[in-house]
């Protein structure tokens, strides 16, 4: 099985000095051989908005999948969001994947309140929103769901990908597992135990089969937080600091809720392998550090991992092994093209802090 490896960008403002460093990090991830680059979503604290971040990455990268992990659609007007997502799909030459969620109890209620959206029926609202996006992309001019209803819809921009980008669901409740199997294109949970992942994936596939969908209709992915360090004890201390900074909760609590691992490369690789053996095919890794310099160090360390289910580490994969996009090319010399059309190495230098500073 070919395992795909992705990385979450550190969009929290406390993790970068210059927001353009995030775009540089996405470009570096692509050059290192990663398969995907992701941005997350929350209103709790200053950070870069994920769709704006992916739009910036769309023309700076050429190959990697660009995704949200996860987007919280309730915070946005659904018709406008469909247009934004279609725009990013075009700008990226059809490389967009959208993982969505409905928030986390005990944490997300204030975000719903400030978005003037009721917390109740949030799952029905999420499913309606996704169905509405697909209706708009298909050219439909009205929509009637459980929560959202529109007697008249404007003509909307269709996506470059036929039928729209793949839409994954983040969540592992019994309801989420069933809805993933029947309504979504992928599954992005973060269970703390690979055995729970295996059980959940079995339920997703059973629901998909009951709905008459193909066995491979749902992409099995995993969101996991990682930290590579030679000292296990020091790694757990760093994870505790990261969890307290990110969630206001200690590592001992967070580790019972979501997948999180620290240690030498062999230990991290073994943990990821257990999830792969449980069925995960796309790993979305969040790097558990708070500075851009340490994020890049972890990005490069993670690229050296050699999972038993892959033929070689990410870092050793030649560019020719990666699928190319159908992005249009031009016959103009690189030096004569606008900056955004040139290879990244030929673009004019920008006077800003580098990733290594």
């Amino acid at each position: 099985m070919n395992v795909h490896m992705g990385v979450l960008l550190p969009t929290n403002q406390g993790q970068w000095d210059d927001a353009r460093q995030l775009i540089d990090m996405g470009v570096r991830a692509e050059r290192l051989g990663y398969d995907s680059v992701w941005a997350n979503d929350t209103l709790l604290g200053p950070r870069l908005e994920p769709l704006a971040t992916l739009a910036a990455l769309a023309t700076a990268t050429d190959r990697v999948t660009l995704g949200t992990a996860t987007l919280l659609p309730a915070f946005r007007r659904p018709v406008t969001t469909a247009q934004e997502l279609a725009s990013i799909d075009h700008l990226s030459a059809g490389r967009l994947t959208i993982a969505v969620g409905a928030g986390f109890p005990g944490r997300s209620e204030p975000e719903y309140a400030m978005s003037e959206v009721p917390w109740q029926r949030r799952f029905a609202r999420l499913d309606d929103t996704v169905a509405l996006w697909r209706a708009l992309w298909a050219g439909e001019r009205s929509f009637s769901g459980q929560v959202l209803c529109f007697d008249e819809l404007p003509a909307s921009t269709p996506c470059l990908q036929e039928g729209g980008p793949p839409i994954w669901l983040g969540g592992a409740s019994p309801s989420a597992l069933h809805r993933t199997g029947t309504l979504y294109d992928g599954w992005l949970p973060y269970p703390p135990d690979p055995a729970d992942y295996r059980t959940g994936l079995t339920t997703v596939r059973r629901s998909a089969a009951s709905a008459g969908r193909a066995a491979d209709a749902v992409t099995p992915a995993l969101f996991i937080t990682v930290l590579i360090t030679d000292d296990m004890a020091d790694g757990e201390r760093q994870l505790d600091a990261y969890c307290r900074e990110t969630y206001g909760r200690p590592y001992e609590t967070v580790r019972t809720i979501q997948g999180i691992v620290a240690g030498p490369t062999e230990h991290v690789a073994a943990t990821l392998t257990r999830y792969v053996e449980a069925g995960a095919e796309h790993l979305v890794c969040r790097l558990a550090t708070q500075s851009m310099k340490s994020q890049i160090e972890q990005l490069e360390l993670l690229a050296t991992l050699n999972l038993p289910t892959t033929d070689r580490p990410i870092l050793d994969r030649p560019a020719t092994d990666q699928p190319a996009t159908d992005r249009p090319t031009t016959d103009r010399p690189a030096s004569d093209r606008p900056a955004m059309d040139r290879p990244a190495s030929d673009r004019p230098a920008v006077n800003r802090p580098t990733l290594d500073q």
Side-chain angles (χ1 to χ4, degrees):
M1 175 174 53
N2 184 23
V3 179
H4 298 281
M5 184 78 82
V7 64
L8 183 77
L9 294 177
T11 54
N12 187 311
Q13 190 175 13
Q15 296 174 288
W16 43 266
D17 300 317
D18 184 323
R20 292 168 294 184
Q21 291 176 316
L22 297 175
I23 308 308
D24 293 341
M25 180 176 174
V27 171
R28 183 172 294 197
E30 180 172 73
R31 291 176 177 171
L32 285 170
Y34 284 86
D35 300 293
S36 57
V37 176
W38 304 78
N40 67 357
D41 191 20
T42 182
L43 299 179
L44 302 178
R47 66 181 55 239
L48 284 196
E49 197 278 331
L51 300 185
T53 302
L54 296 185
L57 280 165
T59 56
T61 56
D62 294 291
R63 175 187 54 79
V64 289
T65 293
L66 302 177
T68 58
T70 60
L71 186 74
L72 297 168
F75 304 163
R76 298 165 175 82
R77 297 290 186 184
V79 174
T80 305
T81 306
Q83 187 92 324
E84 292 171 336
L85 294 170
S87 299
I88 297 171
D89 196 47
H90 281 278
L91 291 170
S92 65
R95 292 182 287 125
L96 180 63
T97 291
I98 311 158
V100 298
F104 193 82
R107 178 176 171 84
S108 300
E109 291 90 341
E111 297 175 293
Y112 273 73
M114 66 184 72
S115 301
E116 300 180 317
V117 174
W119 177 250
Q120 294 74 22
R121 304 194 72 190
R122 61 190 181 280
F123 301 123
R125 180 180 297 275
L126 174 61
D127 294 345
D128 271 8
T129 299
V130 169
L132 172 63
W133 292 344
R134 289 170 171 162
L136 286 163
W137 297 332
E140 297 180 20
R141 303 302 294 269
S142 64
F143 178 83
S144 180
Q146 298 180 67
V147 176
L148 302 179
C149 293
F150 296 88
D151 293 332
E152 294 184 14
L153 288 171
S156 187
T157 304
C159 294
L160 184 61
Q161 297 180 74
E162 185 176 356
I167 303 180
W168 299 359
L169 182 63
S173 68
S175 169
L177 298 177
H178 174 70
R179 290 161 45 237
T180 298
T182 57
L183 301 174
Y184 289 84
D185 306 307
W187 184 45
L188 185 66
Y190 46 74
D193 190 328
D196 294 333
Y197 188 93
R198 186 187 302 275
T199 301
L201 182 57
T202 298
T203 302
V204 167
R205 287 175 169 165
R206 186 182 299 120
S207 294
S210 297
R213 306 181 72 194
D216 60 352
V218 179
T219 299
L222 172 76
F223 184 94
I224 188 166
T225 301
V226 302
L227 179 68
I228 297 176
T229 175
D230 292 334
D231 189 316
M232 291 281 291
D234 180 61
E236 294 200 348
R237 284 192 293 271
Q238 292 186 59
L239 285 182
D240 185 68
Y242 180 83
C243 290
R244 291 177 186 275
E245 177 69 22
T246 303
Y247 297 112
R249 301 183 182 185
Y251 165 62
E252 289 301 321
T253 298
V254 174
R255 69 186 299 183
T256 66
I257 300 171
Q258 60 180 247
I260 186 167
V261 57
T265 54
E266 297 81 4
H267 174 70
V268 172
T271 299
L272 296 181
T273 297
R274 287 195 289 274
Y275 283 100
V276 171
E277 291 172 344
E281 296 178 9
H282 200 133
L283 308 179
V284 179
C285 298
R286 178 174 60 174
L287 309 175
T289 68
Q290 292 290 3
S291 72
M292 181 57 71
K293 182 175 184 295
S294 57
Q295 283 276 323
I296 297 305
E297 291 170 352
Q298 289 291 312
L299 181 75
E300 297 185 345
L301 285 170
L302 188 63
T304 67
L305 257 62
N306 190 6
L307 303 180
T309 48
T310 59
D311 56 353
R312 61 177 77 84
I314 295 173
L315 194 60
D316 292 342
R317 300 179 195 172
T320 52
D321 283 358
Q322 307 300 332
T325 67
D326 294 326
R327 184 176 178 176
T329 58
T330 176
D331 294 330
R332 294 165 61 188
S335 58
D336 292 339
R337 301 178 204 165
M340 69 178 66
D341 289 340
R342 303 179 201 167
S345 57
D346 293 336
R347 293 176 190 156
V350 179
N351 184 20
R352 61 179 187 266
T354 68
L355 291 167
D356 296 319
Q357 289 180 334

